[in-house]
Amino acid sequence: MKIRNGESDIAAFENDIHCRLKREKYKDGEINFVYIDEVQDLAMSQIALFKYVCSNVEEGFVFSGDTAQTIARDKVVLVRDDCSREEICNSVGKQALNLTIMECKGLEFELFHEHNYKMAKMCFHKAGDTYWERRSEAAELKVKADHIRTSSPGEANAFLREAALIFDSIGLSVSAARCFYELE
């Protein structure tokens, strides 16, 4: 409807291409292998379009991209599915972070909300997002303080004080106040 009325956006365009390719099939010759670079810049709906031009879904796709710009500072391998990830893990072991395409989309926020603050901090740092990097750092310090509060109250207080200062510096005064309140 949008296209007929001369109105469109990227979602309408993608939907139109999906419908046309599903109905009319790809007719410009057989493609057995597709290499997709800069995959981190594509939405899943855009990546799904490639299935119409290459019927070799199991082995015909190689995804590549600069996942380090939003994922991690070391080597990152981006794969299409869990089976491929297992194969790569067997080859490179723990020398790389192995992720599926779905896992790399918004990973830093998912890590933060799953309380994996250390990895989230690294991802936000790589993405150049200092607010969320500092927020992750402060949250990590708060968790560390909570874990050692009974066994090492002095060290816990140091972590809480540092977390409070970071929270305050990024405008999270309530979180800063909670940390200061918990100091012994």
Side-chain angles (χ1 to χ4, degrees):
M1 184 72 166
K2 285 182 179 181
I3 292 174
R4 268 188 278 166
N5 293 336
E7 306 166 0
S8 71
D9 57 18
I10 192 68
F13 180 68
E14 289 170 15
N15 190 42
D16 180 58
I17 292 173
H18 274 284
C19 290
R20 287 178 193 221
L21 287 171
K22 189 174 184 179
R23 186 177 57 244
E24 300 168 21
K25 306 287 184 223
Y26 181 74
K27 297 175 182 164
D28 283 347
E30 186 177 333
I31 296 176
N32 296 313
F33 194 77
V34 176
Y35 176 81
I36 303 163
D37 195 12
E38 299 296 332
V39 72
Q40 78 279 356
D41 296 333
L42 300 175
M44 288 307 295
S45 57
Q46 294 168 327
I47 293 168
L49 286 170
F50 291 104
K51 71 182 178 189
Y52 294 110
V53 297
C54 179
S55 59
N56 186 6
V57 177
E58 294 298 317
E59 299 173 341
F61 293 92
V62 172
F63 300 102
S64 168
D66 186 7
T67 55
Q69 65 185 280
T70 57
I71 302 299
R73 77 179 59 161
D74 297 321
K75 184 179 176 184
V76 177
V77 178
L78 190 60
V79 297
R80 70 177 165 270
D81 56 30
D82 289 328
C83 183
S84 299
R85 179 190 10 230
E86 188 174 321
E87 194 175 311
I88 294 293
C89 283
N90 291 337
S91 298
V92 299
K94 296 190 183 260
Q95 296 175 16
L97 175 61
N98 301 301
L99 300 170
T100 64
I101 295 167
M102 282 301 287
E103 290 171 324
C104 79
K105 299 291 183 182
L107 176 68
E108 55 269 36
F109 292 102
E110 187 176 320
L111 289 167
F112 181 86
H113 293 293
E114 289 179 354
H115 310 288
N116 189 345
Y117 302 119
K118 185 176 184 175
M119 184 62 93
K121 182 176 85 170
M122 183 174 62
C123 293
F124 287 122
H125 172 76
K126 209 54 176 163
D129 190 332
T130 53
Y131 171 83
W132 279 97
E133 177 187 359
R134 299 289 285 159
R135 186 171 175 176
S136 298
E137 180 181 6
E140 180 183 15
L141 288 166
K142 171 78 170 72
V143 168
K144 283 181 181 179
D146 291 344
H147 281 112
I148 63 167
R149 185 181 314 264
T150 354
S151 63
S152 184
E155 195 175 353
N157 282 343
F159 286 152
L160 282 171
R161 191 171 287 106
E162 188 177 351
L165 293 173
I166 293 170
F167 279 133
D168 188 53
S169 74
I170 60 173
L172 295 175
S173 54
V174 172
S175 296
R178 284 185 186 130
C179 289
F180 281 127
Y181 179 78
E182 291 180 23
L183 287 171
E184 294 179 0

